[in-house]
Amino acid sequence: MSVVNSAWKTKDLVLTQPGLSGSGLIPEESGMAATESAAIPGSNIAVRVAAGLLRLWEWCFGAISMIVILAFLATIPILNLMSLGYLLEVGGRIARTGKFTQGFIGIRKAARIGSIAVGAWLMFLPLRLLSDAWQSAWLIDPTSRQTRILWFVTMVATVLVGLHVAWACFRGGRLRHFIWPAPIRFFKTIFHGGMYAHAREGTLTFIKELHLWHYFSLGARGFFGTLAWLLVPVLWMIGARQITLPGVAFLVSLPGMVIFAFVLLYLPFLQAHFAAENRLKALFELGTVRRMFRQAPLAWWSALLITLLFALPLYLLKVEMIDREIAWLPSLFFVVFIFPARLLAGWALARAKKREKPAHFLLRWMSRLAAIPVVVSYIFFMYLFLYISWRGADSLLEQHAFLVPVPFLGA
């Protein structure tokens, strides 16, 4: 593991690169930004603008696809650690490089996955309608001539659509590949040979460059390390909630609230520091993070405010139990709200690393004092939401701002 960690520290992830050898799954068909821009004549401004708009559309589509992918993974046990690992890597990447653009990881690859999913869904939609017609005919009269014809047409259409989807993925998996089958090139590729080996090599390389194990490892270590920070104050507050006398329950829970408030002040930046260093020990280097706070106190306060402010509205989605089948729909909101918080936490850490001298003591103390009402308000509203949450006090364990981005562990 030490060899892997050192490799990740010395070299950034390659997921920001457009794609596998200039294409989607198979490195045969080019068409990414660098190739397109090289082929565009410098004098033709209209073509250059159109190519730029296409690249912008691909990036926007990739960003939407990435949000959907993270939301879907966040609702699946074990795999949700990949979603957490990606969000941690977002903050860590910005903390290492100091650039916001480095936080949008794997957008081009997400666009390719999204285009394959959308293209395959569109191609299989007529097939589903045809299958429904055959099943309806079979229910009416299984032995009729119309039923046999519909069965034959459905089988032939299934084979043709399956080949078309596989051929579109082989060519790169873009939406245009699903629209136009390129039949002449299809037969040329078949007669040329080596199609299976080419597809296997390209697909395996594409999957390898997703770095799924890195995100899973980062998410698992970040999850258990963060849980170590949260477990004591959260269990303390849950235990105090079991007391029937309100006044006594409040007094007993007060020490837990104080500890929890202290953890909230530093946990977002400890997570960004951990992701930047890719060391579990970095998640507990409180002294290092406290010293970095002195370099950029206003940036840290802004990141803390956005992190806790964006986490509060998401508690409303915990009012009612969500079915597992549709849990990915509300999880879209969790990813959308948590992603900017990870960006800002990494940005605050990067600003602190760039500055050699501490900020003026007035700025430092103003930021410290201003952080107190932010943290206290978050705890206050979090306690109010406990009265409407379907899990009650146990929902305190589902800190979606710091752990897995969707608090539907028991759905």
Side-chain angles (χ1 to χ4, degrees), residues 262-271 286 289-290 293 300:
F262 177 81
V263 171
L264 291 178
L265 288 173
Y266 299 102
L267 188 54
F269 313 105
L270 285 168
Q271 288 184 317
L286 183 60
V289 172
R290 285 173 59 88
F293 164 79
W300 284 53

Side-chain angles (χ1 to χ4, degrees), residues 5-147:
N5 291 346
S6 61
W8 281 96
K9 284 181 61 178
T10 55
K11 183 168 132 182
D12 284 337
L13 295 173
V14 298
L15 288 182
T16 51
Q17 299 302 321
L20 173 58
S21 302
S23 72
L25 298 180
I26 306 304
E28 177 178 337
E29 180 170 339
S30 182
M32 299 308 297
T35 307
E36 290 177 348
S37 60
I40 296 173
S43 58
N44 197 334
I45 299 178
V47 176
R48 297 178 64 183
V49 171
L53 292 176
L54 288 176
R55 290 194 296 270
L56 178 61
W57 155 253
E58 183 184 27
W59 192 94
C60 294
F61 180 76
I64 297 174
S65 300
M66 179 61 74
I67 293 174
V68 175
I69 292 171
L70 293 176
F72 180 76
L73 289 176
T75 61
I76 303 175
I78 306 301
L79 295 183
N80 53 12
L81 295 177
M82 290 186 185
S83 182
L84 175 61
Y86 178 88
L87 293 174
L88 289 174
E89 180 63 30
V90 166
R93 180 78 69 87
I94 297 177
R96 285 196 301 267
T97 63
K99 299 179 180 179
F100 260 112
T101 55
Q102 294 298 314
F104 298 92
I105 308 169
I107 299 300
R108 302 291 181 180
K109 289 186 178 294
R112 197 57 41 82
I113 296 174
S115 64
I116 291 175
V118 173
W121 184 85
L122 290 176
M123 292 300 102
F124 282 110
L125 181 60
L127 189 61
R128 288 194 296 268
L129 298 177
L130 184 60
S131 177
D132 291 339
W134 166 68
Q135 291 179 0
S136 299
W138 184 83
L139 290 175
I140 296 173
D141 188 359
T143 60
S144 67
R145 183 171 177 269
Q146 290 77 7
T147 301

Side-chain angles (χ1 to χ4, degrees), residues 159-173:
V159 174
L160 293 178
V161 171
L163 287 175
H164 176 64
V165 170
W167 172 237
C169 294
F170 180 88
R171 294 162 58 205

Side-chain angles (χ1 to χ4, degrees), residues 203-354:
T203 303
L204 292 178
T205 305
F206 181 84
I207 294 175
K208 182 180 179 181
E209 290 184 353
L210 292 178
H211 299 287
L212 300 178
W213 173 252
H214 169 71
Y215 291 125
F216 178 80
S217 173
L218 189 68
R221 288 177 288 139
F223 177 85
F224 289 107
T226 303
L227 192 62
W229 278 104
L230 295 172
L231 203 57
V232 172
V234 168
L235 290 181
W236 193 312
M237 290 186 289
I238 291 177
R241 289 271 300 174
Q242 309 306 317
I243 301 176
T244 56
L245 298 176
V248 177
F250 175 77
L251 293 177
V252 173
S253 64
L254 194 57
M257 293 182 187
V258 174
I259 299 174
F260 186 62
F262 177 81
V263 171
L264 291 178
L265 288 173
Y266 299 102
L267 188 54
F269 313 105
L270 285 168
Q271 288 184 317
H273 179 56
F274 154 72
E277 299 291 327
N278 197 22
R279 294 182 294 108
L280 182 59
K281 186 178 178 181
L283 194 53
F284 302 95
E285 293 177 347
L286 183 60
T288 302
V289 172
R290 285 173 59 88
R291 286 191 295 271
M292 285 192 289
F293 164 79
R294 296 159 54 90
Q295 315 298 111
L298 290 180
W300 284 53
W301 180 84
S302 302
L304 178 65
L305 174 65
I306 296 299
T307 299
L308 300 184
L309 181 63
F310 280 19
L312 282 177
L314 302 177
Y315 280 99
L316 295 175
L317 296 176
K318 300 163 64 175
V319 174
E320 187 175 354
M321 182 177 177
I322 305 296
D323 293 334
R324 177 66 65 184
E325 291 77 9
I326 61 171
W328 69 275
L329 289 174
S331 70
L332 292 173
F333 295 95
F334 285 84
V335 175
V336 169
F337 275 80
I338 293 172
F339 191 85
R342 299 293 182 180
L343 291 174
L344 290 177
W347 167 74
L349 206 64
R351 285 182 62 88
K353 290 181 178 180
K354 287 182 178 180

Side-chain angles (χ1 to χ4, degrees), residues 175-202:
L175 289 176
R176 66 171 181 265
H177 297 144
F178 290 90
I179 297 174
W180 174 244
I184 298 178
R185 185 183 175 188
F186 174 73
F187 289 107
K188 286 183 178 180
T189 304
I190 290 180
F191 292 136
H192 184 269
M195 189 175 181
Y196 171 74
H198 195 57
R200 180 186 60 187
E201 180 182 356

